[in-house]
Amino acid sequence: MKKFKYFCLTIATAAIVSLSACNNTPTAENPSAPAATSPSTAQVTEATTHGGHGGKAKININTAILSELDKFEAKLGVPALSNKIQASRPYASPEDLVTKKVITQEQFDQIKDQVTVQEVVLTGEAKDVDYMTKLGLMKGHLLVAQELLDKNLPKQAEPHIGHPVEEIYVDVEDQLNERKVKEFKSTLVSLQDLVKSNPKNAKVKTDFTASVQSVDGAIAALPEAQRNKPEFVLQVINGLLDAANSEYGAAIADGKIAAAIEYQDSRGFVVYADDLYKAISSQVAQSSPDTNKAIEASFSDLVKVWPSAVPPAKPVKTPVEVTQLIKTIEQNSQKIIDKSSTQAQR
């Protein structure tokens, strides 16, 4: 089954506040969510984005799309679990995963601390981080699509051109309108259709450039000072790496790369996250040289996991090893975020 997914992001660096816990998934309001569930809503304010690294955010099984649900698939090793969870909606409670026979009680016990049916509405800086992270996911998809087109592999490139529309655009559309960003969904759709029907057409190159410029323009709707602020960018980077981690875990099965698309997704996200860090590394080095070295070293090892957009015959690292590298980057990033928060409070 082809995966049509848009990404309901977890903000890995934010301390997310809910009505009953501190780690529910921050998502944009999803108009397609089942009305029957009517989950309670919590708000994440700008102030909370500077809190401690209070654990991973929970995943709303009523609204999360397949890329997010892939975390459960990777952890439990159940093929096509993401699709099964999606197909059995709506859920009145997390325990419905068991009562609806999506997973067993034993499997549920392994993930129950990560599951919620509660919505969280983002505000303040958390909303801006979510916005730029989703656009960063678009950039990652397009980066890997470009690599595949350059290798004359249009059939492999086409899904990654489609993903920004199928997965993400609907989830960020309200924010694009709020920020008065010119519509560019039609640009992405036009490019996807052209790559499908006539990939050798010279117009592919110009349409591709237009698509990338549209995403860049949407990112530029955020104030330049905010986009260059290390503590803000690091939250975006951690969101991208969290997405890459779940995609890579879903790509690997029995020690092999079983899902090329997920491997490629994770490559694009890591490549763009690395680009973002390079743009702020000099600022981080000035204030925290040792932390900067640690982050750069981890990124250097991480990018080697994806030697090419075409998957290698054997994975360079296991999902556990990739998770550890990403965790190290997140932990060091949090030092910068916490330091900035402390200075701002003085």
Side-chain angles (χ1 to χ4, degrees):
M1 177 183 293
K2 183 176 179 180
K3 293 185 176 182
F4 291 94
K5 328 173 260 187
Y6 66 83
F7 203 85
C8 298
L9 286 165
T10 57
I11 305 300
T13 57
I16 306 301
V17 179
S18 74
L19 296 179
S20 60
C22 62
N23 59 347
N24 283 300
T25 308
T27 61
E29 183 180 1
N30 183 351
S32 64
T37 59
S38 299
S40 57
T41 300
Q43 287 201 350
V44 180
T45 66
E46 183 172 355
T48 66
T49 66
H50 299 299
H53 194 62
K56 294 293 184 183
K58 290 188 177 184
I59 297 170
N60 187 322
I61 52 175
N62 278 323
T63 58
I65 304 304
L66 298 176
S67 358
E68 185 75 332
L69 298 174
D70 278 345
K71 294 180 182 181
F72 299 142
E73 187 171 320
K75 183 169 184 175
L76 297 178
V78 179
L81 177 59
S82 303
N83 303 80
K84 293 175 184 176
I85 293 174
Q86 191 180 61
S88 297
R89 289 171 175 167
Y91 301 96
S93 70
E95 289 75 15
D96 279 358
L97 287 171
V98 178
T99 58
K100 292 190 174 188
K101 299 183 179 180
V102 178
I103 55 177
T104 65
Q105 181 64 53
E106 183 180 3
Q107 290 168 334
F108 178 73
D109 289 343
Q110 296 180 53
I111 64 170
K112 62 183 180 181
D113 292 337
Q114 299 171 256
V115 179
T116 186
V117 293
Q118 186 178 66
E119 293 286 358
V120 177
V121 176
L122 295 175
T123 62
E125 187 176 79
K127 184 175 181 179
D128 292 340
V129 170
D130 180 70
Y131 173 76
M132 184 167 170
T133 307
K134 287 180 173 125
L135 293 171
L137 294 174
M138 287 191 184
K139 285 278 290 189
H141 283 305
L142 292 175
L143 282 170
V144 80
Q146 182 65 74
E147 289 184 288
L148 292 165
L149 287 175
D150 289 345
K151 292 179 180 294
N152 197 28
L153 296 170
K155 288 186 178 180
Q156 290 192 43
E158 184 273 321
H160 301 290
I161 296 168
H163 286 172
V165 179
E166 296 158 359
E167 296 180 1
I168 306 165
Y169 198 96
V170 67
D171 202 28
V172 78
E173 192 165 13
D174 286 346
Q175 288 208 56
L176 291 171
N177 292 334
E178 288 174 17
R179 299 170 196 273
K180 302 188 186 307
V181 175
K182 184 180 177 180
E183 180 273 332
F184 61 93
K185 182 177 181 179
S186 57
T187 302
L188 294 169
V189 171
S190 176
L191 174 63
Q192 183 184 20
D193 290 344
L194 187 59
V195 171
K196 281 181 179 179
S197 63
N198 192 3
K200 295 187 182 298
N201 192 316
K203 195 171 182 289
V204 168
K205 186 174 181 179
T206 56
D207 283 7
F208 200 98
T209 299
S211 295
V212 173
Q213 289 175 342
S214 294
V215 178
D216 287 339
I219 292 173
L222 291 168
E224 184 177 3
Q226 186 177 33
R227 287 183 278 117
N228 293 329
K229 189 168 65 172
E231 56 270 27
F232 177 82
V233 177
L234 285 167
Q235 292 179 71
V236 174
I237 288 171
N238 287 341
L240 292 170
L241 293 181
D242 191 47
N245 196 27
S246 63
E247 293 286 7
Y248 188 75
I252 308 298
D254 298 323
K256 299 178 182 179
I257 299 173
I261 290 178
E262 275 74 15
Y263 165 90
Q264 290 159 349
D265 283 346
S266 57
R267 172 181 169 82
F269 302 159
V270 168
V271 168
Y272 187 57
D274 187 40
D275 287 345
L276 288 177
Y277 189 74
K278 287 174 180 175
I280 61 168
S281 61
S282 60
Q283 294 184 68
V284 177
Q286 288 179 1
S287 62
S288 305
D290 291 341
T291 303
N292 176 64
K293 288 180 181 178
I295 294 175
E296 287 186 330
S298 295
F299 259 120
S300 178
D301 287 341
L302 187 63
V303 296
K304 294 174 184 175
V305 175
W306 297 266
S308 168
V310 178
K314 181 180 179 182
V316 174
K317 288 187 181 295
T318 66
V320 171
E321 291 170 328
V322 168
T323 296
Q324 186 55 54
L325 282 171
I326 289 175
K327 183 178 179 181
T328 300
I329 293 173
E330 290 178 343
Q331 288 172 337
N332 282 289
S333 296
Q334 194 63 35
K335 293 178 183 178
I336 305 299
I337 296 166
D338 290 344
K339 183 177 181 179
S340 173
S341 178
T342 300
Q343 291 173 343
Q345 292 171 5
R346 288 176 181 172

